[in-house]
Structure formats: C-alpha cells, structure tokens
Amino acid sequence: MFVQQLEPVADSLGLSALVAALPLVTVLVLLGAVRMKAHRAGLIGLAVAVLVGWLAFGMPVGQTLSAGAQGVLFGLFPIMWIVVNALWVYRMTVRTRHFDILRRSFGRVSDDPRIQALVIAFCFGALLEALAGFGAPVAICSVMLVALGFDPVKAAVVSLVANTAPVAFGAMGTPVVTLAQVTGLPLDDVATVVGRQTPLLALVVPLILVFLVDGRRGLRETWAPALVCGVAFAVAQFAASNFFSAQLADIAAALVGAAALIAVPGARRPADEPVRAAVLTGARSEDLDQEDPRREVLRAYAPYALIVAVFSLAQIPPVKELLARATRVFDWPFLDVAGPDGEPVGANMFTLPLLGTGGTLVLLAGLITAVVLGVRAGTAAREWAATVHELRYAILTVTSVLALAYVMNLSGQAATIGRSVAAAGAGLAFLSPVLGWFGVAVSGSDTSANALFGALQVSAARESGLSPELLAAANSSGGVLGKMISPQNLTIACAAVGLAGREGDLLRKVLPWSLGLLLVMCLVVMAQSTAVLGWMLP
C-alpha cells in the first residue's frame, strides 16, 4: 500500500506544495504563454505529474501509471462518450438539413433582434451546451445570428457572453460529474450547490445581452422579456439540479426559459424599423423567408424532444434501478493507495455505469433520431465516425488532463497544495471562484478546470474549516465565467463568423463582462460561506 505524504520534500509543506504545483504550472504556462495546443500541453503536463508523483512524492511508478490509466478511462467513458454521441445527433440534423429548418423556425419567433438574441444565443445556446458543449454553442449560435442580419462582431460577442450560465451543467452534466468524481463528493451534493450559484448568473445575463445588442434603448424597451426569460431559466435550472437530475438541468432551463420568453406579451410584436436598421447591419440570409412544412418542423425539433424523453424515462425509479444493474464496480488493478490518515482512498475501486450513463442514453436517443429523420444506418455510422475524428484532439486533451488530475490526486500532490492554499483562511471562499475562472480561461473547458482544481479546492476547504461542497461548486461556477475569454472559444467564434485573426477585438469586448460577473460570483460564494447567504446552502 502506498500512503500519501503531505510534506515529502525536505519535510516542508511550502516546498512540497511548490513541487506539487509543477504539473499545473507547466500546463498553464504552455497554454497561456507558449500558446501550445491544448492536447500537447496536457500530455506534457501529465508527464511532469508522473515524474513528480514518482520522484518527489514516492508513489511507486506502477501505481502512478495505473492512476493515470484510470483517469484516461474516465475521460473516455463516461466523459467523451457523452460529448461524441451528443455531437453525433447534431451532425445528423445538419446532414438532413433539419438544422436549417430549426434556424428558420427560430427566426420566425420574433423579428425583434433583441428577442432573437435571447431565443438563439441564450435559450438555444443553453440547449446546445446541454447536449454538446465544447465550443459548439458559440459556433452555431454565432452563425445563426449572422444569418439573421447581425453584424459578425456583435453576433460573436453576444454568443460568447450568453455561453455562461449553462456551462456548469453542459454536455449532459459532464463538468459536475467530473467534479464529483475527482473530489469524491456525491454528485447530488455538488450539483445541488452549483444549482444555487449559477442560476444567479441567469438572472442578469439576458439583461446584458439586450444591452449588447441595442444599448440602453434595448435595455429600456426589452428589460421585461429579458428578465422573465432569466427568472424562468434560473428557476428551472435550480429545480432540476436540486430535485430531479443534474444531466437535465440545462435542457429544462433552456426550454422553460424559451417558453416563458415567447409567452411575454409584446415579445413577438414586430420591432420598430429604426431598431432593426440600427442593429441588423449585416446581410440577411435569403432562405429565411422559405416556408417549411409543419411535419418537417416537428422533425427538426424531434432530436431534442427525444433526448429529454429518454433522460426523463431514465429517472423513473424502476427504470433507473434496471439501468443501474448494468453498472460494474471492481478493484482497479495495480492501485492500492491510502490517504495521509492511513485509510484506503475511494479510487482503489472503479465504477463503470454501462447503461445509466448520459452518453448511452444520448446514443439511444440518437438511434431513434436517425429513424425519425430518415438517416440510413450506414450514413449514421459514418457520421458517428466523422464525429470521433472531428473530436480527436478534444478527446486527447480531456483524457490527458484527467490522467494528470488522477495522478496528482492519488499521489498526494493535490492534498499538499490544498493544505498550503488553506492558509488563506476565510479569504479562500472569495478566491475559490477565481481559481476555476483561471482554469477555464486557460483550458477552455469547465470539465478540465474541475479535473485540475476540484480536489485541491476540497482539500483546502477541509484544512480551513469551510464547506468542501461549497468550494468545489465555486470552482465550477467561477469557471463558467472564464469560458467567454478562453482562447479556444474566441478562436471558434472568430472562425464561425469569418473574423479570423480578430480574437483580440473580441477579447477586449467580453473581458469586462467576464471580470464583472466573476466579482459577483466571488462575493456570492464568500457570502454563502458566512451567515449572510449561508441559508442558501442545503
């Protein structure tokens, strides 16, 4: 058995923490300063983590490599299993042109560009984040807004800022699932606290969006539908994450938010021509006036309805119990680790949910979608293979980062850093979201940031007497605000709307919003750690 040591370097906590931080520093410097591609930075960081775990923390090389292998498997299944199948469903809608029908359907909801921004960037963007994430919402929503006549820069900025509130529960709950796995905290506990933080962002983001689209006039004239949309989104996200399913939180929020927005009196009223002339400065897609048969419109919405239906059925107790029978729990080979207290760690056992995991449920919905959309089996298989090929670098990035996280967690590196960081005391609650924000800003992924810093946050919380669930959730909730400034997301937005090379222009426009909302989240988490807002926590 390998027993973790918290002060292996010269019996000094400070020196040990500095050495333990080398893998994280390596990844962040390679991504932020050297601008190396994420998958290469992740692999190099993993190599550093293995060397530090073996040479500095004394973890046997066999166990160190075994820990990394467990991280790789978790990155593949269930994490990327969800993402691949979700994007596969989207690719089939593009293949059959039903995505174009969906885009035209959204364009007919309202001809007011401020309402269109809320429907597409905020509500539909949240639905795309729920199903896929990893940059897909920004790319797709930006293109849709440009097709409606938005200026490319404005379309990109609106899509980037909108991609905040849903991120923590994106890709069928992948970030919070990862957070629970690397911290050892129950998923329901983590999701519950995140669901009492990110909905606060949903209250203000729609107001920011109408301001971005049309300035003070937009805020003055459309604050009511924006507020109704935000409140409905927030309530649905809170309710789903706390009482139903973390995987369905964003889907429920997106659908309820869109329904509430459309139901607001005046939301579908034609916009004044001066507003349209001032906002819609780009070229309008010619196919927007094309009428689509009602049957085809229903088929365009079918994939998303099927995913909601499949996940809802999976939450019915008898069905949930049946799916759980396929879960396999086994001793992870060549791994026998104990914490500093001498107690075996939970990662010595590995849980493999074969049927109950989100990716398998999305796959089932995708198979039904293929039938509904009339996609032949061979075509569907080729689209699935093309999806894997498209995501090959993302798969390599996620698996390498999770392998790095597992090595750091099981060798004791994360616990050592956590004990050192705990010296911040009560101030740790204020700084906790900043760590998540920084991780996402650099890596472009709330999942990766949770894998990197989740265990560290929990360790620091326990050392400082704060709630582990609160700081773990704060890592994810703060991280969502780094999404809009991450180089990957900026590059995706620029490429989508034909602004290649203008990432700096977008960064200058979204950075103030990112920092401002981050400050709000820091104050919220700090207040939740005290009696001021402590009542918000379960």
Side-chain angles (χ1 to χ4, degrees):
M1 177 178 285
F2 166 69
V3 180
Q4 296 174 351
Q5 302 296 317
L6 298 183
E7 300 178 1
V9 181
D11 293 324
S12 167
L13 180 63
L15 287 175
S16 299
L18 287 175
V19 173
L22 286 176
L24 296 178
V25 172
T26 299
V27 173
L28 297 179
V29 168
L30 291 177
L31 284 172
V34 181
R35 296 188 178 183
M36 182 179 289
K37 292 188 180 297
H39 64 279
R40 293 176 181 171
L43 289 172
I44 294 173
L46 171 59
V48 174
V50 169
L51 290 174
V52 170
W54 173 35
L55 299 176
F57 281 75
M59 190 177 193
V61 64
Q63 295 210 48
T64 306
L65 295 175
S66 179
Q70 186 176 140
V72 170
L73 178 56
F74 183 70
L76 291 173
F77 192 97
I79 301 305
M80 292 310 297
W81 180 237
I82 299 172
V83 178
V84 167
N85 290 324
L87 278 179
W88 171 58
V89 173
Y90 163 71
R91 285 180 66 100
M92 285 194 292
T93 67
V94 173
R95 174 89 180 198
T96 59
R97 299 190 180 279
H98 283 90
F99 183 77
D100 292 334
I101 296 173
L102 192 68
R103 174 171 57 84
R104 288 192 289 269
S105 175
F106 285 158
R108 297 188 192 101
V109 169
S110 171
D111 73 344
D112 188 327
R114 299 162 300 190
I115 302 300
Q116 290 173 342
L118 293 176
V119 172
I120 294 172
F122 187 68
C123 296
F124 186 60
L127 185 61
L128 291 173
E129 183 67 36
L131 301 179
F134 291 87
V138 170
I140 295 168
C141 293
S142 296
V143 170
M144 291 178 74
L145 290 176
V146 169
L148 291 173
F150 277 68
D151 171 74
V153 172
K154 185 170 289 186
V157 170
V158 167
S159 298
L160 285 165
V161 174
N163 191 219
T164 49
V167 169
F169 295 104
M172 310 309 291
T174 296
V176 291
V177 170
T178 303
L179 185 61
Q181 182 73 17
V182 300
T183 59
L185 298 173
L187 173 60
D188 289 343
D189 292 355
V190 173
T192 294
V193 180
V194 174
R196 301 181 186 211
Q197 293 172 344
T198 56
L200 299 176
L201 298 175
L203 296 176
V204 298
V205 168
L207 296 171
I208 294 174
L209 295 180
V210 296
F211 177 80
L212 287 171
V213 172
D214 195 30
R216 293 181 180 177
R217 177 179 57 186
L219 195 57
R220 184 176 64 253
E221 294 181 358
T222 56
W223 67 267
L227 187 60
V228 168
C229 178
V231 169
F233 186 103
V235 170
Q237 190 182 60
F238 162 76
S241 61
N242 276 257
F243 307 115
F244 190 53
S245 167
Q247 286 88 346
L248 287 177
D250 279 349
I251 293 178
L255 296 177
V256 172
L261 174 62
I262 295 172
V264 174
R268 304 189 66 167
R269 187 167 51 234
D272 295 335
E273 193 54 39
V275 172
R276 291 180 54 78
V279 175
L280 302 179
T281 55
R284 187 171 180 267
S285 178
E286 294 181 358
D287 72 344
L288 288 175
D289 296 327
Q290 179 180 332
E291 287 293 331
D292 298 302
R294 183 178 180 82
R295 179 172 179 272
E296 294 305 314
V297 173
L298 291 175
R299 291 175 73 190
Y301 282 92
Y304 310 101
L306 285 168
I307 290 176
V308 173
V310 168
F311 271 81
S312 299
L313 288 173
Q315 300 305 313
I316 298 174
V319 178
K320 193 172 185 178
E321 183 180 341
L322 181 64
L323 295 175
R325 292 179 186 174
T327 298
R328 299 290 178 263
V329 180
F330 54 89
D331 288 320
W332 187 257
F334 310 112
L335 195 64
D336 189 10
V337 179
D341 57 1
E343 292 294 321
V345 299
N348 291 330
M349 304 290 292
F350 190 79
T351 302
L352 196 64
L354 298 174
L355 297 181
T357 187
T360 304
L361 297 178
V362 174
L363 176 64
L364 175 60
L367 293 173
I368 303 173
T369 293
V371 175
V372 172
L373 299 185
V375 180
R376 294 179 179 275
T379 302
R382 285 192 294 274
E383 287 295 333
W384 194 90
T387 304
V388 174
H389 183 265
E390 179 184 339
L391 291 172
R392 62 192 184 282
Y393 292 123
I395 292 171
L396 189 55
T397 299
V398 169
T399 52
S400 62
V401 167
L402 279 162
L404 179 155
Y406 270 64
V407 170
M408 290 190 65
N409 294 344
L410 291 171
S411 65
Q413 295 174 59
T416 296
I417 298 172
R419 177 167 290 186
S420 176
V421 171
L428 182 61
F430 181 84
L431 296 174
S432 184
V434 178
L435 194 58
W437 173 85
F438 184 68
V440 176
V442 171
S443 70
S445 165
D446 201 36
T447 299
S448 296
N450 286 343
L452 287 172
F453 300 128
L456 186 157
Q457 298 266 24
V458 167
S459 179
R462 287 172 175 154
E463 292 293 332
S464 59
L466 295 170
S467 164
E469 291 81 6
L470 174 62
L471 294 202
N475 192 84
S476 193
S477 298
V480 306
L481 301 170
K483 189 90 169 182
M484 68 179 83
I485 64 168
S486 69
Q488 293 92 323
N489 248 22
L490 292 170
T491 300
I492 288 170
C494 284
V497 297
L499 296 174
R502 294 185 59 184
E503 288 85 355
D505 294 341
L506 294 186
L507 177 61
R508 284 189 290 274
K509 290 181 179 294
V510 299
L511 182 59
W513 298 109
S514 178
L515 293 175
L517 291 172
L518 174 63
L519 176 60
V520 171
M521 185 56 66
C522 289
L523 294 173
V524 167
V525 174
M526 184 174 69
Q528 287 180 331
S529 70
T530 68
V532 178
L533 290 182
W535 53 268
M536 290 182 64
L537 301 182

